[in-house]
Amino acid sequence: MNQPYEDTYFLDRDLAYQTALAHNIIIRCNGEKAVQVCYYDGAPFENAPENLVNVPTSEFTRYFSTNTHRLPAKVEASYQKPSSDEEKSLEKKLKSLLQAVKQNLTPQVKQTAIEFASDTLFLDPEMALNTAKKTRPVKCGNSRYYGTQICYYSGDTVENAPDNLINVAFDDLLDFFSNTRLRLPTAIAFHKDVEYEEKDKLTQAFSELLSKSIQNRNEIGTILLTKCQQTKPDFQLKEPLRVLLTSSQYDDLKRPIIEGFYQAFEHYHCKTMLIIEQNKLEKLDSPWVFKEHFNFNPHITLTIDSFDTTWLHPTVFNIFLWWKPPYDISIGAPLSWRNRDIVLPSNNHDQLLLSQSGAKHILSDLIKLDPNNTETLNIDYKKAVSTIINTIQQEAHIK
C-alpha cells in the first residue's frame, strides 16, 4: 500500500532530491491535491525541480516566518542509517522552531497563488495527455513570464497531440535529452498502481538519466566552445557585418534592449541573428548558444553586464553594455579586456571606473540612465549602432 505524503524538511539533501523527483501528490486539509514540497538543508542543487526548495538550517526560522510557501508538516532527519545524537538533537530543535513559527505567524489576507507545475516524464501516456491539455504554467527563472508545462511520454504516439505533449521512444530518451532545445523534465509521474518500491527504483533511474543528459550537454558545450574560440570570421569589404545577439523570452529586463539593438543593426543592413526561445517550451542553454554562434560565425556580439566572453575568437568584436556593473567594475579593479572589446558605459562614474579597469575602447554618451528611473536606459539605438559600426570598420580596416 502506498504511504501518504506530506510537505517535508529533509536534513539529507540527496533524499530530498530523490523524493522531489517522484513528484508525489499530497492531500491538503481542505481536500485539494498538490505536489509535495521537499525543503532541504545543505548546498543548493543546480537545475533543481520546482518542488525542491533549499532552506539552510541557519535560515529555518527566518524563511518560514517570512515566506508564503506552505510550511513542512514534518522534519526528516536521516536516510537509511541510524540517526546520530547530533542529528536527533537538530531534528528536535527544528521541530520546536517549526512549532514556534506556526504559533507566531499572523493571519494574512488570502491571495490567489499561481500553482506552478514541473516539466514531467510520464510513464502513462493517457495521464500525460490529460495533464498536457491543462497547459499549466512552469516557472522559468525570476521572470513574470511563464513557460508551459512539457509532458514527455514513451509508447504509441498520441494523434492530434497538443504542442506540449512530446513523444520520445524509451531507448532514445538519453540522446534526446542530451541534444534538445526543450527544457528537460525535472519530475517523473507514475501510474497510480505502481508500488512504492518500484517507484523508488524508477525514480533512481530517472535521476541517473537526467544527470547523464546534463553531463552530455556540458560536454557538447565544451566542444562547441572550443570550436567557437578557433573559428575566425573574415571581414570582407563587400559583405555585410554579421551580428549575433542573444536574449531570452524570460528576461523581461534586458530583452527589450537586445531587441532594440537588433532592429538598429538590421536598419544598417547588417546580417543579424537573434538567439531566443521560439516558444514556451524551450530553454536555450550554453550548448545551443555555442552551436548557433559556431554556425553563424559572427563579426559582432553584444553582452549586458557580463564579462564572460571566453568562447569568442580574438578577432570578434564584442559590445559591452554596462548598465549595472558587477563588483570588479564597481571598484575599478584591473580586468583582462580583449583588444576588440567596445564598451558602452551608462554614466560618467562608470566610464571612469571602466577606464581604470583597463578598457581600451569606450564609447561615451551613447546610452544614459533615465534621470527619473535608474531601472530604465535611454538609448538612441540607431545613433549607437552607427557609431559602433564606424568604430569597427576603422579598427578592422574595411572602410
Side-chain angles (χ1 to χ4, degrees):
M1 180 178 178
N2 291 345
Q3 66 182 47
Y5 300 104
E6 299 175 295
D7 295 323
T8 303
Y9 184 88
F10 292 86
L11 292 180
D12 187 313
R13 66 194 291 271
D14 293 325
L15 175 59
Y17 187 84
Q18 295 294 334
T19 306
L21 289 179
H23 211 55
N24 298 316
I25 301 298
I26 66 171
I27 307 297
R28 303 178 64 181
C29 58
N30 60 1
E32 293 181 356
K33 293 183 179 181
V35 177
Q36 180 189 27
V37 179
C38 300
Y39 303 98
Y40 67 100
D41 182 33
F45 287 101
E46 294 184 3
N47 302 307
E50 295 292 341
N51 61 324
L52 183 63
V53 181
N54 181 239
V55 182
T57 55
S58 60
E59 294 290 311
F60 191 90
T61 303
R62 184 200 62 78
Y63 182 89
F64 289 115
S65 296
T66 60
N67 205 281
T68 57
H69 280 158
R70 298 192 303 268
L71 295 178
K74 67 175 184 178
V75 176
E76 181 67 40
S78 62
Y79 179 49
Q80 294 184 347
K81 63 179 180 179
S83 297
S84 66
D85 291 340
E86 182 179 353
E87 285 175 323
K88 290 179 180 177
S89 175
L90 181 56
E91 178 186 10
K92 184 177 180 180
K93 178 181 178 181
L94 293 177
K95 287 180 178 178
S96 176
L97 290 173
L98 184 59
Q99 186 61 34
V101 169
K102 290 178 180 178
Q103 292 174 352
N104 293 330
L105 282 177
T106 56
Q108 297 180 355
V109 178
K110 185 175 181 181
Q111 297 179 345
T112 302
I114 297 175
E115 288 285 345
F116 290 107
S118 297
D119 299 314
T120 303
L121 174 63
F122 289 84
L123 301 185
D124 182 343
E126 184 177 355
M127 184 187 300
L129 175 60
N130 292 335
T131 305
K133 288 179 178 179
K134 297 177 182 178
T135 60
R136 297 189 296 175
V138 173
K139 194 170 185 179
C140 298
N142 297 318
S143 173
R144 59 189 174 91
Y145 298 102
Y146 309 131
T148 300
Q149 182 187 24
I150 303 175
C151 301
Y152 294 101
Y153 72 101
S154 296
D156 295 336
T157 303
V158 175
E159 294 186 2
N160 301 316
D163 292 340
N164 61 325
L165 182 63
I166 309 296
N167 179 260
V168 184
F170 183 80
D171 292 340
D172 295 336
L173 285 172
L174 178 59
D175 183 64
F176 183 89
F177 291 145
S178 298
N179 294 280
T180 183
R181 290 170 61 102
L182 305 178
R183 296 188 306 271
L184 301 184
T186 58
I188 183 170
F190 307 98
H191 189 278
K192 61 182 180 180
D193 295 331
V194 176
E195 294 296 328
Y196 183 77
E197 289 186 0
E198 185 66 17
K199 271 190 177 183
D200 194 42
K201 293 178 182 178
L202 291 170
T203 298
Q204 179 62 33
F206 172 72
S207 177
E208 292 173 358
L209 169 67
L210 194 59
S211 296
K212 181 60 177 175
S213 300
I214 293 172
Q215 178 184 339
N216 288 350
R217 294 174 77 87
N218 290 337
E219 291 175 355
I220 292 170
T222 299
I223 293 172
L224 289 170
L225 181 148
T226 301
K227 288 186 176 182
C228 291
Q229 290 173 329
Q230 297 173 348
T231 304
K232 178 181 179 180
D234 291 328
F235 290 82
Q236 300 293 333
L237 182 60
K238 296 183 179 180
E239 294 183 2
L241 291 170
R242 294 187 299 276
V243 183
L244 180 63
L245 304 175
T246 305
S247 187
S248 172
Q249 286 190 7
Y250 308 110
D251 187 345
D252 45 2
L253 188 64
K254 299 177 183 177
R255 188 186 68 252
I257 298 173
I258 297 294
E259 291 173 344
F261 275 101
Y262 177 88
Q263 293 171 4
F265 277 113
E266 287 267 289
H267 174 79
Y268 285 103
H269 308 293
C270 295
K271 186 176 181 181
T272 310
M273 179 179 182
L274 175 62
I275 302 176
I276 193 169
E277 297 91 352
Q278 298 301 305
N279 52 54
K280 293 187 176 182
L281 310 179
E282 294 184 342
K283 179 184 178 182
L284 303 183
D285 49 13
S286 296
W288 274 102
V289 173
F290 297 155
K291 179 179 180 180
E292 298 286 5
H293 182 110
F294 173 70
N295 291 333
F296 190 64
N297 192 18
H299 301 106
I300 305 169
T301 60
L302 184 148
T303 56
I304 301 177
D305 294 340
S306 174
F307 200 69
D308 183 12
T309 54
T310 54
W311 67 92
L312 297 183
H313 187 275
T315 60
V316 174
F317 288 91
N318 187 69
I319 313 303
F320 281 95
L321 190 152
W322 290 122
W323 182 4
K324 301 176 182 179
Y327 179 73
D328 287 345
I329 292 293
S330 67
I331 62 173
L335 298 172
S336 300
W337 293 95
R338 301 165 62 253
N339 289 330
R340 290 195 167 182
D341 290 338
I342 297 176
V343 187
L344 308 181
S346 59
N347 57 70
N348 293 334
H349 177 65
D350 285 349
Q351 181 174 339
L352 176 62
L353 293 174
L354 287 162
S355 180
Q356 292 174 352
S357 74
K360 300 175 178 61
H361 302 290
I362 300 177
L363 301 182
S364 59
D365 299 325
L366 293 179
I367 63 173
K368 291 184 180 297
L369 290 174
D370 188 322
N372 299 317
N373 182 6
T374 57
E375 295 298 311
T376 302
L377 287 179
N378 291 330
I379 306 175
D380 184 336
Y381 290 101
K382 289 183 179 179
K383 177 182 177 182
V385 166
S386 175
T387 304
I388 289 169
I389 290 175
N390 288 336
T391 301
I392 287 174
Q393 287 177 335
Q394 292 174 13
E395 181 69 21
H397 305 294
I398 54 169
K399 297 179 180 179

